[in-house]
């Protein structure tokens, strides 16, 4: 493979990055800022969408801009612009200082940042082989068309939606002591088969392939077997349509990583964000039941659980060399032996709450937004030498095996959640016994995780994730991955969604 | 170069059969606070050029769309070439149609030439001062305030190679205020949409929240179940916006939505509510004004880049209780067999003729029921019935014999807004409201408070 540094978008590296940073940082310091950091980003995206093999959307976006964040007399100020000239950079610095002056009327806590070593000039590139934005759109459309045709060829499939989202993100950061140039690539392909019966019943079955911090090679064999998944999709849909409706009640569950990643995201990932625990998101995304007084006390889940946050997992969507405050990527414990042992931090919160150093979770989704504490890859470790998924299923008399995510909702303190899925299989006497319909599981976070009896082994581990985790006002999105094994839980409440909807 | 000149330059540089150029200028300013102090803030300005290149060939019409931010004058031709290259390599577009031309010129051309404006932090200067004062008051009286204030101005300039020139300026602002007791056990929320912050009375919003926190000094635990429920305008907006987003003509015609007719076709003409309610969108709705022509940066199920610039006018999605239209492009309207396209419009109103009731009068006429402040984390569970789930948030109150008698625990609900329309017990007077959940995307709504029979509170949430 090429030298990673040489793979960074040359149009990006040829911009006058250091000259613009210097213009902004110098102006900010001259106006009295105690701290100033500068970002310049270029984000290239392409969206492809096919509807029944016809091209519905071919959209290319190319967003660039610069941003300056300052602390003036203990108050934040932030400004950004799309004009990449030294004059515009200096103007952004003046605007950021003006914002700090207006905002001082509502600021009562002086802003200070936890120390972080300076790293000098550093470069980081994510792990991928083929930049998907360099592959001709026609090739990508041809592949999606062929996959859609395969699905439509089945007589039970009425419609097929196919999508491919691709992003290349280039980021320049400078605070005077660290100057980082970074590039990461991500890709998300998904197909949905739709069946509509003559009597008006309809249902869907979606591919389970997660979005990944990989390149175009992901579509041609690296990391996922699309041919195998597409081959089984129509018959799975047929079986789902004719499946019996679930009887509401309590069941033992075996949950596949393709479903459980989202439950981890909502009930552990967000709940261990320190800004939520401190109330910074109280009016919007919400707070967390896992407040600071519960650190090292709360039995979050079963003692078999070990959950970490990281910026380091290969192909992880939240993996990065340095965050938007110049903090180097790390891996750390959030839940150890089932007990809450850590949080996700930025530099302000780390200092304010006695954590010493930030673990590198400050990110903005674009140059036009101020960094917030955003989610790391939050992952549940597999049991060394643990069983296969079939081994977990073998331990269930009367239960349900759930694969693939679909509907999700959780309350503003991360207690009560409800999830559905793509595929529900009845488990009878340790074996799969056909599909079920109308299934949702509903629980309180700590009850749910304390019901975990066993974890699958590393052979069941998968990195799931999403491109678009939302947080903050103004709203920001962030890509994030969650790894986990298959998991066996006892006695979880199952709803029948058809009964829930009946008037 | 001005945005108008950018559009002209892009169209002049175009070598394709048809071309649409859209220049967007956007500026924003915001303040965010939590626990009686500032958390984040900022101003930003951006500029985006979108070029839609159309190649008409014997074997089909191809289209390429490229959107780029911060385009310099010397890069406009690059964006046009990139769109043309994309079109050249694309298969035929399913939604191909004629590009709107000078025939659609007249209604919009009026202010084409005037300069675009911008917002900045000064729009929030007086507001920040007032907010600082109420924060100090809250600190003294043992309350914590959380919230967000934002102002945006977006100017859109749209030109087509067929001669259309259309321009729209969209100011948009909102303030959200959340008050909690010092122990965080009691919480109340309010919000307002505004076009310029001149009409925002933050002290009055704060006073309303203080009353609700007082209501919550007595608490009552209630089990899950189906309750007669009063939903305020913001909650009605969040449920009906989801219904609006789920009513697309294309998927409905394909048999994939709650508005599909079994065996084929749509349910247009079917009665959804026993009450004569109307759900409508109108670019000229007073105080809720939005773009009076289609602006499509990319195609979707019911949005087509070929429709850019076509005029929009008042559309009633539900009329006198019956389903009467579905959001559609020219293409999806044809697929669904609809007489004319009715594209999505960026506001929503819901009303019943001759309704005068207020939330207060509805409380006064309630023997026993729940009063909700707002809803949160609303997601689709089953598209067949449009079953949605979500949470009550920031205050659920028990109403007994015409009075609020205390605060109740939060609930997770499982309800369909379509089913809810069939169980409407009362519809109050319609007024402007800020949708709590969808306010990031949808700030222009006017809704009434409603009474719903048997609202399904499925389980208790411990969240406070």
């Amino acid at each position: 493979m090429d030298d990673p540094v040489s793979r960074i978008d040359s149009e990006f590296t040829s911009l006058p990055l250091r000259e613009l940073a210097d213009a902004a940082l110098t102006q900010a310091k001259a106006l009295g800022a105690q701290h100033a950091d500068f970002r310049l980003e270029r984000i290239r995206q392409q969206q492809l969408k096919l509807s029944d093999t016809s091209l519905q959307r071919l959209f290319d976006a190319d967003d660039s801009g610069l941003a300056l964040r300052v602390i003036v007399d203990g108050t934040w100020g932030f400004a950004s612009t799309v004009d990449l000239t030294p004059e515009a950079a200096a103007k952004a610095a003046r605007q950021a200082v003006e914002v700090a002056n207006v905002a001082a009327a509502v600021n009562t806590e002086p802003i200070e940042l936890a120390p972080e070593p300076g790293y000098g000039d550093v470069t980081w590139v994510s792990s991928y082989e083929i930049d998907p934005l360099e592959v001709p759109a026609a090739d990508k459309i041809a592949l999606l068309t062929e996959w859609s045709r395969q699905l439509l060829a089945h007589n039970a499939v009425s419609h097929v939606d196919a999508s491919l989202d691709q992003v290349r993100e280039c980021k320049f950061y400078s605070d005077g002591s660290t100057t980082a140039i970074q590039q990461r690539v991500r890709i998300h392909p998904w197909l949905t088969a739709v069946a509509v019966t003559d009597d008006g019943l309809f249902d869907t079955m979606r591919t389970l392939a997660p979005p990944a911090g990989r390149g175009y090679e992901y579509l041609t064999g690296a990391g996922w077997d699309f041919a195998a998944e597409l081959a089984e999709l129509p018959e799975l849909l047929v079986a789902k349509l004719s499946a019996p409706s679930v009887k509401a009640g309590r069941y033992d569950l075996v949950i596949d990583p393709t479903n459980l990643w989202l439950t981890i995201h909502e009930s552990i990932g967000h709940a261990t964000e320190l800004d939520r625990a401190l109330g910074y998101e109280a009016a919007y995304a919400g707070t967390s039941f896992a407040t600071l007084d519960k650190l090292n006390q709360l039995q979050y889940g079963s003692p078999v659980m070990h959950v970490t946050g990281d910026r380091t997992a290969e192909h992880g969507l939240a993996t990065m060399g340095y965050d938007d405050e110049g903090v180097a990527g790390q891996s750390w414990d959030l839940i150890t032996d089932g007990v809450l042992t850590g949080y996700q931090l930025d530099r302000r919160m780390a200092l304010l709450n006695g954590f010493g150093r930030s673990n590198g979770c400050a990110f903005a989704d674009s140059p036009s937004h101020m960094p917030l504490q955003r989610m790391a890859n939050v992952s549940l470790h597999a049991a060394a030498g643990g069983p296969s998924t079939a081994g977990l299923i073998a331990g269930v008399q009367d239960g349900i095996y759930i694969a693939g995510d679909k509907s999700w909702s959780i309350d503003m303190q991360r207690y009560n959640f409800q999830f559905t899925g793509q595929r529900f299989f009845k488990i009878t006497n340790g074996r799969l016994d056909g599909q079920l319909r109308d299934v949702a599981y509903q629980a309180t976070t700590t009850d749910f995780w304390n019901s975990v009896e066993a974890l699958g082994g590393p052979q069941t581990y998968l990195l799931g994730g999403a491109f678009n985790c939302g947080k903050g006002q103004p709203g920001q999105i962030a890509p994030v991955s969650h790894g986990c094994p298959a998991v066996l839980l006892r006695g979880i409440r199952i709803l029948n969604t058809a009964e829930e909807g009946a008037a | 170069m001005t945005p108008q000149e950018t559009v002209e330059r892009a169209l002049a540089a175009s070598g394709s059969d048809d071309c649409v150029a859209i220049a967007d200028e956007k500026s924003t300013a915001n303040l965010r606070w939590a626990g009686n102090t500032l958390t984040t803030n900022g101003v930003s300005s951006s500029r985006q050029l979108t070029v839609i290149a159309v190649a008409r060939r014997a074997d089909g019409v191809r289209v390429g769309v490229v959107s780029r931010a911060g385009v310099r004058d010397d890069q406009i031709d690059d964006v046009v070439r990139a769109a043309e290259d994309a079109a050249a390599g694309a298969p035929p577009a399913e939604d191909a149609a004629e590009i709107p031309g000078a025939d659609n010129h007249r209604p919009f051309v009026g202010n084409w030439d005037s300069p675009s404006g911008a917002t900045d932090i000064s729009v929030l200067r007086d507001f920040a001062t007032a907010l600082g004062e109420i924060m100090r008051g809250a600190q003294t009286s043992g309350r914590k305030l959380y919230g967000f204030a934002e102002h945006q101005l977006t100017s859109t300039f749209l030109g087509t190679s067929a001669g259309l020139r259309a321009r729209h300026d969209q100011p948009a602002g909102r303030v959200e205020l959340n008050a909690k007791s010092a122990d965080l056990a009691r919480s109340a929320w309010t919000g307002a949409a505004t076009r310029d912050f001149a009409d925002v009375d933050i002290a009055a919003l704060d006073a309303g929240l203080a009353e609700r926190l007082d209501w919550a000094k007595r608490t009552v635990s209630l089990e899950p179940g189906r309750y007669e429920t009063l939903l305020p305008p913001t909650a009605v907006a969040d449920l009906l916006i989801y219904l609006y987003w789920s009513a697309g003509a294309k998927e409905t015609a394909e048999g994939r939505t709650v508005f599909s007719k079994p065996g084929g076709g749509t349910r247009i003409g079917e009665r959804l509510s026993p009450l004569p309610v109307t759900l409508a969108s109108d670019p000229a709705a007073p105080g809720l004004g939005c773009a009076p022509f289609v602006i499509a940066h990319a195609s979707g199920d019911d949005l087509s880049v070929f429709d850019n610039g076509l005029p929009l006018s008042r559309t009633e999605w539900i009329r006198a209780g019956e389903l009467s239209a579905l959001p559609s492009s020219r293409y999806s309207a044809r697929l669904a067999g609809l007489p004319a396209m009715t594209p999505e419009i960026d506001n929503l109103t819901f009303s019943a003729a001759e309704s005068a009731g207020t939330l207060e009068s509805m409380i006064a006429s309630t023997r026993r029921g729940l009063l909700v402040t707002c809803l949160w984390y609303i997601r689709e569970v089953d598209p067949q019935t449009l079953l949605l789930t979500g949470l009550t948030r920031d205050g659920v109150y028990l109403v007994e014999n015409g009075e609020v008698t205390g605060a109740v625990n939060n609930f997770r609900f499982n309800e369909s807004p379509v089913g809810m329309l069939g169980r409407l017990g009362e519809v109050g007077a319609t007024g402007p409201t800020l949708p709590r959940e969808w306010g990031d995307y949808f700030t222009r709504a006017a809704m009434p408070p409603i009474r719903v029979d048997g609202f399904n509170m499925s389980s208790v949430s411990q969240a406070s």
Side-chain angles (χ1 to χ4, degrees), chain B residues 199-244:
Chain B
D199 54 350
V200 173
D201 183 348
I202 190 77
L205 294 176
D206 182 50
L209 295 183
E211 180 192 27
R212 293 211 162 206
L213 290 184
D214 281 345
W215 284 354
K217 283 181 175 167
R218 175 170 178 260
T219 58
V220 183
S221 291
L222 285 185
E223 293 295 310
R226 290 183 175 272
Y227 289 92
E228 178 179 320
T229 299
L230 300 178
L231 295 176
T234 179
V236 177
D238 279 329
L239 292 171
L240 293 181
I241 287 167
Y242 209 110
L243 181 153
Y244 181 38

Side-chain angles (χ1 to χ4, degrees), chain A residues 126-157:
Chain A
S126 69
S127 177
Y128 66 92
E129 290 171 27
I130 302 165
D131 181 347
L133 290 154
E134 297 300 326
V135 175
D139 294 1
K140 293 178 273 198
I141 293 166
L143 183 61
L144 292 182
T145 304
E146 176 51 32
W147 285 352
S148 300
R149 271 203 194 105
Q150 281 177 36
L151 294 174
L152 274 173
H154 194 287
N155 58 17
V157 176

Side-chain angles (χ1 to χ4, degrees), chain A residues 11 42 49 51-52 54-64 75-83 95 98-100 102-103 105-109 138 141 159 161 194 196-202 266 279-286 348 368 370-372 406-418 420 437-438 442 444 472-475 493 495 497 499-503, chain B residues 30-32 34 36-48 63 65-70 86 89-94 121 124-125 128-129 131-132 135-136 146-148 150 174 176 178 180 189 226 250-251 254-258 262-263 297-301 376-377 379-384 387 389-393 410 412 414 423 436 440 456 458-464:
Chain A
E11 280 185 46
R42 181 185 192 202
K49 184 159 188 273
S51 171
D52 293 342
S54 293
L55 181 65
Q56 183 178 91
R57 172 178 293 202
L58 166 56
F59 177 74
D60 280 278
D62 185 345
D63 291 308
S64 300
T75 297
W76 286 128
F78 176 85
S80 80
T81 176
V82 292
D83 291 319
Q95 288 178 317
E98 187 194 355
V99 170
V102 170
V106 292
N107 191 38
T108 57
E109 279 179 11
I141 293 166
H159 300 285
D161 302 328
V194 184
V196 182
T197 68
D198 291 340
D199 56 2
L201 185 68
F202 64 90
E266 301 295 353
Y280 296 176
E281 288 285 334
Y284 180 67
R348 178 195 182 192
S368 64
M370 186 164 167
L372 300 171
K406 200 172 182 187
S407 173
W408 74 102
S409 174
I410 187 165
D411 73 35
M412 43 285 173
Q413 281 170 295
R414 305 277 140 175
Y415 285 112
N416 175 302
F417 60 64
Q418 178 177 304
T420 67
R437 288 177 56 82
D438 307 325
Q442 196 183 76
T444 294
Q473 290 182 305
R493 183 184 180 201
L495 304 182
T497 57
E499 289 170 8
E500 287 291 310
Chain B
N30 66 75
L31 288 176
R32 194 179 194 205
N36 296 339
T37 189
L38 174 79
T39 52
T40 62
N41 58 27
V43 294
S44 75
S45 61
S46 65
R47 201 172 68 241
Q48 190 180 43
V63 64
V65 183
V66 170
S67 188
R68 188 163 177 177
E94 61 170 12
I121 198 70
L124 296 174
R125 195 179 294 277
T129 304
L131 178 64
M135 272 184 187
R136 282 186 286 280
Y146 303 79
F148 179 61
E150 176 180 50
R174 59 178 162 146
E176 294 190 51
N178 173 212
K180 294 181 190 295
W189 176 90
R226 290 183 175 272
K250 180 170 186 285
E251 289 207 340
E254 290 174 349
R256 304 163 67 174
T257 80
V258 66
H297 295 89
S299 289
D301 279 348
W376 185 249
Y377 224 121
R379 295 292 183 277
E380 182 182 274
V381 178
D382 183 0
Q384 185 98 44
L387 181 70
T389 193
L391 284 307
T392 61
R393 185 171 186 178
N410 278 305
R412 166 172 300 289
N414 279 311
R423 286 182 280 118
R436 173 76 190 274
D440 286 350
N456 180 17
S458 173
S459 63
V460 168
S461 155
Q462 294 174 45
S464 57

